[in-house]
Amino acid sequence: MADRVHPGDSPPPANDNHLSMSKLPPPSPEKPVPQPGTYVIQIPKDQIYRVPPPENARRYAHLSKRKANKGVLRRCCCCFLTTMLVLLTAVAIAAAVIYFYFKPEAPSYSVESVAIKGFNLTSSSPLSPEFDIAVRAHNPNDKIGIYYEKGSSVRVFYEDVDLCNGALPVFYQPTNNVTLFQMALKGSGIELTNTALRALSDEQSKGAVPFKLRLRAPVKIKVGAVKTWEITVKVTCKITVDKLTAASKIVSKDCNYGVNLW
């Protein structure tokens, strides 16, 4: 048999597997090639649990304890806020029910008459003014009564000078009631400047002498069979009279009402 002759006496082609292995890049030193008979297992980073080195063990324990404390504090805050929210909701619902059932209305106050004594505008000696005042109190509520307690005060001012004072009587005002009560307010040793005396004389000659009445009264509200805590009623009235005598008449009046709940 004749031998097979390769063209150009070139060497026979190398094996494909041998060629592919000769072209592979050398292994990277960062990723060593596993030894024969071993396995490479790939695990996600978030599933790897590391043990801190001994020098960081104390710091790791401290941080772990602080995180646990923060978790407990956060749960306590959430429980507290939830409880407060429930209580506030319950209070709001109860207040709404009470409001729509009792339909509370604010009482009204006005000054009905004023009799004045003790003003001598021609003398510079101290004054002892007296005001006999009738105040009208109206309770328009159908299901709410008002207890007027001890400790009230009623004062009359001319500009910033406290002229006289007194108090309301202690009484209970029932529902849908109008009460007219008299108060005798007295002052002593009141010294007015010459300017104030001249101003009073001029205002009296014009038939318009302004005063301010300030009333403060502690009250308790009766709602059904329940009596509330003590509330302070505040009434301020600007009144103008025609003269400084027992026969004086009210020319104008304007009263404002407010309360202090605590």
Side-chain angles (χ1 to χ4, degrees), residues 107 109 137-139 144-148 171-175 177-179:
Y109 301 88
H138 177 210
N139 177 15
I144 297 176
I146 303 175
Y147 287 93
Y148 288 83
F171 69 100
Y172 170 70
Q173 187 174 26
T175 60
N177 175 263
V178 176
T179 300

Side-chain angles (χ1 to χ4, degrees), residues 88-104:
L88 290 175
T89 303
V91 170
I93 293 174
V97 171
I98 292 174
Y99 178 82
F100 286 108
Y101 177 75
F102 290 99
K103 297 179 180 178

Side-chain angles (χ1 to χ4, degrees), residues 151-164:
S152 64
S153 68
V154 184
R155 296 179 178 274
V156 173
F157 293 84
Y158 175 72
E159 295 181 350
D160 294 328
V161 180
D162 188 350
L163 297 176
C164 55

